[in-house]
Protein backbone atom coordinates (compact mmCIF):
# COMPACT_ATOMS: atom_id res chain seq x y z
CA UNK A 1 0.00 0.00 0.00
CA UNK A 2 2.76 2.47 0.87
CA UNK A 3 4.48 1.89 -2.47
CA UNK A 4 1.45 3.17 -4.40
CA UNK A 5 1.07 6.04 -1.94
CA UNK A 6 4.69 7.07 -2.44
CA UNK A 7 4.25 7.05 -6.21
CA UNK A 8 1.17 9.23 -5.84
CA UNK A 9 3.04 11.60 -3.53
CA UNK A 10 5.79 11.88 -6.15
CA UNK A 11 3.09 13.25 -8.45
CA UNK A 12 2.30 15.94 -5.86
CA UNK A 13 -0.96 14.40 -4.68
CA UNK A 14 -1.45 16.04 -1.30
CA UNK A 15 -3.73 13.29 0.02
CA UNK A 16 -1.00 10.73 -0.67
CA UNK A 17 1.62 12.75 1.20
CA UNK A 18 -0.83 13.17 4.08
CA UNK A 19 -1.21 9.38 4.19
CA UNK A 20 2.59 8.98 4.33
CA UNK A 21 2.76 11.59 7.07
CA UNK A 22 0.11 9.78 9.11
CA UNK A 23 1.80 6.40 8.61
CA UNK A 24 5.25 7.58 9.68
CA UNK A 25 4.70 10.47 12.09
CA UNK A 26 4.74 8.56 15.40
CA UNK A 27 8.00 6.71 14.72
CA UNK A 28 9.76 9.79 13.41
CA UNK A 29 8.49 11.89 16.33
CA UNK A 30 9.85 9.35 18.84
CA UNK A 31 13.18 9.17 16.99
CA UNK A 32 13.62 12.94 17.21
CA UNK A 33 12.29 13.31 20.74
CA UNK A 34 14.70 10.70 22.13
CA UNK A 35 17.56 12.76 20.74
CA UNK A 36 16.51 16.27 21.73
CA UNK A 37 14.39 15.52 24.83
CA UNK A 38 12.25 18.60 24.32
CA UNK A 39 8.72 18.64 22.96
CA UNK A 40 8.89 22.10 21.41
CA UNK A 41 12.19 21.43 19.63
CA UNK A 42 10.87 18.05 18.49
CA UNK A 43 7.83 19.70 16.94
CA UNK A 44 10.01 22.31 15.24
CA UNK A 45 12.36 19.70 13.85
CA UNK A 46 9.64 17.32 12.71
CA UNK A 47 8.05 20.10 10.68
CA UNK A 48 11.42 20.64 8.99
CA UNK A 49 11.74 16.89 8.33
CA UNK A 50 8.40 16.63 6.54
CA UNK A 51 9.04 19.83 4.63
CA UNK A 52 12.29 18.30 3.33
CA UNK A 53 10.58 14.97 2.66
CA UNK A 54 7.96 16.74 0.55
CA UNK A 55 10.66 18.65 -1.29
CA UNK A 56 12.73 15.54 -2.07
CA UNK A 57 10.05 12.83 -2.37
CA UNK A 58 10.65 12.57 -6.12
CA UNK A 59 14.25 11.48 -5.46
CA UNK A 60 13.22 8.71 -3.07
CA UNK A 61 13.62 5.20 -4.50
CA UNK A 62 11.27 2.64 -3.01
CA UNK A 63 12.47 -0.85 -2.18
CA UNK A 64 10.84 -1.65 1.18
CA UNK A 65 8.94 0.06 3.94
CA UNK A 66 12.17 0.01 5.95
CA UNK A 67 13.80 2.10 3.21
CA UNK A 68 11.14 4.75 3.71
CA UNK A 69 11.87 4.92 7.43
CA UNK A 70 15.63 4.88 6.85
CA UNK A 71 15.23 7.81 4.49
CA UNK A 72 13.11 9.73 7.00
CA UNK A 73 15.51 8.89 9.85
CA UNK A 74 18.40 10.26 7.78
CA UNK A 75 16.47 13.46 7.09
CA UNK A 76 15.65 13.64 10.80
CA UNK A 77 19.27 13.13 11.83
CA UNK A 78 20.57 15.88 9.57
CA UNK A 79 17.72 18.16 10.59
CA UNK A 80 18.59 17.69 14.27
CA UNK A 81 22.21 18.59 13.54
CA UNK A 82 21.23 21.62 11.47
CA UNK A 83 18.80 22.74 14.16
CA UNK A 84 21.44 22.46 16.88
CA UNK A 85 23.99 24.36 14.77
CA UNK A 86 21.60 27.26 14.54
CA UNK A 87 22.42 27.84 18.23
CA UNK A 88 19.32 26.25 19.66
CA UNK A 89 19.52 24.47 23.00
CA UNK A 90 19.58 20.89 21.77
CA UNK A 91 21.72 18.42 23.68
Amino acid sequence: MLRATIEQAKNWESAAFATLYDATYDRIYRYIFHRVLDTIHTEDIISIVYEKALKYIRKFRWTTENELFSWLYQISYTSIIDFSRESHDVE
Side-chain angles (χ1 to χ4, degrees):
M1 176 176 161
L2 281 180
R3 180 181 208 122
T5 305
I6 289 169
E7 293 307 317
Q8 292 170 343
K10 287 181 176 185
N11 292 320
W12 303 109
E13 293 182 31
S14 60
F17 193 81
T19 300
L20 288 177
Y21 177 89
D22 291 340
T24 59
Y25 182 87
D26 289 340
R27 282 175 62 178
I28 302 304
Y29 184 94
R30 284 192 306 271
Y31 175 85
I32 296 168
F33 182 79
H34 286 290
R35 280 145 187 85
V36 300
L37 302 174
D38 182 277
T39 304
I40 294 171
H41 290 318
T42 299
E43 291 170 359
D44 290 342
I45 294 167
I46 203 164
S47 67
I48 294 166
V49 168
Y50 283 102
E51 182 180 318
K52 288 179 182 179
L54 179 60
K55 182 177 180 180
Y56 296 110
I57 190 73
R58 288 179 172 246
K59 294 182 180 185
F60 176 72
R61 301 290 178 246
W62 171 271
T63 53
T64 66
E65 185 174 320
N66 288 337
E67 279 289 318
L68 174 62
F69 281 101
S70 294
W71 181 65
L72 289 171
Y73 290 143
Q74 184 61 43
I75 294 171
S76 299
Y77 177 78
T78 57
S79 296
I80 291 166
I81 291 170
D82 292 345
F83 191 84
S84 66
R85 285 182 181 158
E86 294 171 358
S87 73
H88 294 281
D89 296 325
V90 176
E91 298 176 11

